[in-house]
Amino acid sequence: MDQDYQKYSEADHRMWKLLFERQMDVLPSIASRTYLEGVDKVGFVTDHIPDFRKETNPRLQALTNWKVYVVPGLIPHKEFYTHLSNREFPASTWLRKPEQLEYLEEPDMFHDTFGHVPLLSNQPFCDFIEHLSHVALRFIENENALAQISRLYWYTVEFGLIRERGELKIYGGGIISSAGESAYCLSEKVPKLNFDTATLLATPYHIDRYQDHYFVIDSYDQLYESVSEIEKLLDKFVEMV
């Protein structure tokens, strides 16, 4: 598939501008420094939707040898993890409408790109996703093991928090792209759990509401270094079943 950039209407670009400015008004004080630096590195700006072929991918490939790969929407696990293992981040190209401003049943291009792509400028984070995907493909026929990997992905890549300079910051793309959850997740009333692979693999998540709790990492290197332990835990789990 291709992004078919010329098909974006003025209304689409206005929606990107609205979403971009709304999030960038609040993220500088609550988002990971690495993410914020990544916004500049990948060339995201307020006045137009990013052009994957001409703008985003040349920058990403120079930084970490990754690229955005266009998909029609949600794709099967095997296809999804295969792309990630090949350093291709799947992203849809459709953009939400005004009536979908606060809630979407499935991720749109703003979530996929604004939420995730800036962190693809960080090598340890990219290495984590790539190697986790290799593990996922090992267990792709085991639904129970795959469900545990999905939990790990959900609570890190999508809804993860990080400690930076003694403060909690957001890095998960699902939070980064959500105005409501950006504020909610940092509330003192919401439990924050230290990153622990065994606990995380066993913790269910919600797809239709904010999470009951969030997991906190100390660095992106910690994520990458956890992959070998994740694989060992899954091997043990499969042996026991």
Side-chain angles (χ1 to χ4, degrees), residues 153-168:
Y153 188 94
W154 186 270
Y155 281 118
T156 56
V157 178
E158 292 290 352
F159 292 93
L161 303 180
I162 186 171
R163 292 185 186 88
E164 288 184 346
R165 300 176 181 177
E167 295 183 332
L168 284 183

Side-chain angles (χ1 to χ4, degrees), residues 95-113:
L95 199 63
R96 68 191 73 182
K97 303 301 182 184
E99 61 270 19
Q100 299 171 305
L101 191 61
E102 301 301 335
Y103 176 74
L104 292 169
E105 291 187 0
E106 84 176 70
D108 71 340
M109 187 269 294
F110 185 76
H111 167 272
D112 290 343
T113 57

Side-chain angles (χ1 to χ4, degrees), residues 148-199:
Q148 294 187 55
I149 294 172
S150 294
R151 293 168 185 166
L152 193 287
Y153 188 94
W154 186 270
Y155 281 118
T156 56
V157 178
E158 292 290 352
F159 292 93
L161 303 180
I162 186 171
R163 292 185 186 88
E164 288 184 346
R165 300 176 181 177
E167 295 183 332
L168 284 183
K169 301 292 183 179
I170 298 162
Y171 74 89
I175 308 175
I176 288 281
S177 59
S178 168
E181 197 147 8
S182 294
Y184 167 84
C185 71
L186 295 176
S187 166
E188 293 183 358
K189 297 179 181 179
V190 183
K192 316 295 190 300
L193 309 177
N194 288 330
F195 180 81
D196 176 80
T197 52
T199 301

